[in-house]
């Protein structure tokens, strides 16, 4: 049986470039909640960048830092949490986030994602000869995990503000259902 959930937070999951941080900041402003980004938290805790952690210590160490950040945030309330695109591949992360959050997944096609991220250089997983191919491959691998979110929101052709309104509506519905 699934444990009862108290929805005190909103967590945004989804692939790189789906707009989690932009959307999360808009919602946090509207609700006067605190906005937290797991990548920013990890960078502050480790006093370095995500790219450096990947480059010097490897992805496995980054995933450990990510799991620790999720554990810390899952225990707090009144947060809008934006997560790194790979957070869902560890089932424990999703399970602990779901205890206090509505988990909304932002979705986009590989081509849309590529259009949004192609000028950026800070994501180690996309520093390859064929980044669009890598996006397709990772998105296909991760799709079953993203589908485990409470709500799935398509962000294609929508501005962050429009997506934020849709997510906010789902959050308010979820909180009303559980109060
Ligand atoms: C990752 C996504 C990144 C960051 C890291 C790994 C991933 O976050 O956590 O580079 O595995 O998809 P964004 O989704 O915010 O770009």
């Amino acid at each position: 049986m699934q444990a009862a959930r108290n929805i005190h937070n909103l967590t945004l999951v989804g692939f790189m470039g789906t707009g989690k941080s932009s959307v999360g900041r808009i919602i946090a402003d509207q609700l006067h909640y605190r906005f937290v980004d797991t990548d920013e938290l990890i960078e502050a805790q480790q006093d370095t960048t995500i790219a450096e952690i990947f480059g010097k210590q490897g992805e496995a160490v980054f995933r450990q830092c990510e799991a620790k950040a999720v554990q810390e945030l899952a225990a707090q309330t009144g947060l809008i949490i934006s997560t790194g695109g790979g957070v869902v591949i560890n089932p424990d992360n999703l399970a602990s986030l779901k205890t206090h959050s509505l988990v909304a997944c932002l979705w986009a096609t590989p081509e849309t994602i590529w259009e949004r991220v192609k000028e950026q250089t800070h994501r180690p997983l996309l520093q390859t000869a064929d980044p669009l191919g890598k996006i397709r491959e990772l998105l296909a691998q991760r799709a079953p995990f993203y589908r485990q979110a409470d709500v799935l929101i398509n962000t294609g052709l929508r501005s962050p503000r429009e997506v934020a309104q849709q997510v906010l509506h789902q959050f308010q519905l979820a909180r009303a259902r559980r109060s």
Side-chain angles (χ1 to χ4, degrees):
M1 205 175 78
Q2 205 185 349
R5 291 172 62 187
N6 283 313
I7 306 291
H8 298 299
N9 300 329
L10 170 68
T11 296
L12 297 170
V13 301
F15 204 79
M16 299 174 255
T18 50
K20 292 161 293 185
S21 298
S22 313
V23 167
R25 284 179 203 280
I26 294 169
I27 297 174
D29 271 0
Q30 290 195 8
L31 293 183
H32 304 292
Y33 276 37
R34 190 158 73 89
F35 173 80
V36 193
D37 179 302
T38 54
D39 283 348
E40 287 175 7
L41 182 60
I42 294 165
E43 289 185 334
Q45 287 177 338
Q46 302 297 316
D47 196 21
T48 184
T49 63
I50 301 299
E52 288 255 326
I53 301 173
F54 267 78
K56 292 198 175 141
Q57 301 174 79
E59 181 172 350
V61 169
F62 170 74
R63 296 298 169 201
Q64 284 168 12
C65 298
E66 192 171 48
K68 181 172 159 277
V70 164
Q71 285 295 332
E72 286 172 20
L73 295 175
Q76 300 175 31
T77 60
L79 299 181
I80 306 295
I81 305 170
S82 173
T83 58
V87 84
V88 294
I89 58 184
N90 176 347
D92 292 345
N93 287 343
L94 199 55
S96 62
L97 287 165
K98 276 190 175 181
T99 57
H100 291 299
S101 288
L102 181 79
V103 178
C105 177
L106 305 190
W107 183 261
T109 63
E111 293 72 22
T112 301
I113 290 168
W114 174 234
E115 273 309 308
R116 292 178 184 163
V117 302
K118 68 182 180 191
E119 308 297 343
Q120 302 169 350
T121 55
H122 64 282
R123 296 185 174 93
L125 292 175
L126 300 183
Q127 304 311 302
T128 70
D130 176 17
L132 177 56
K134 187 70 183 178
I135 292 170
R136 288 201 177 105
E137 178 196 321
L138 283 177
L139 197 56
Q141 276 171 16
R142 293 176 178 179
F145 299 102
Y146 290 136
R147 279 194 217 103
Q148 290 171 29
D150 297 306
V151 287
L152 201 60
I153 310 266
N154 194 347
T155 67
L157 300 178
R158 293 202 177 104
S159 69
R161 204 153 279 284
E162 288 169 316
V163 174
Q165 289 324 305
Q166 216 178 338
V167 175
L168 189 53
H169 180 64
Q170 293 294 333
F171 184 51
Q172 284 163 341
L173 283 180
R175 282 174 62 87
R177 266 198 301 273
R178 285 172 173 84
S179 60

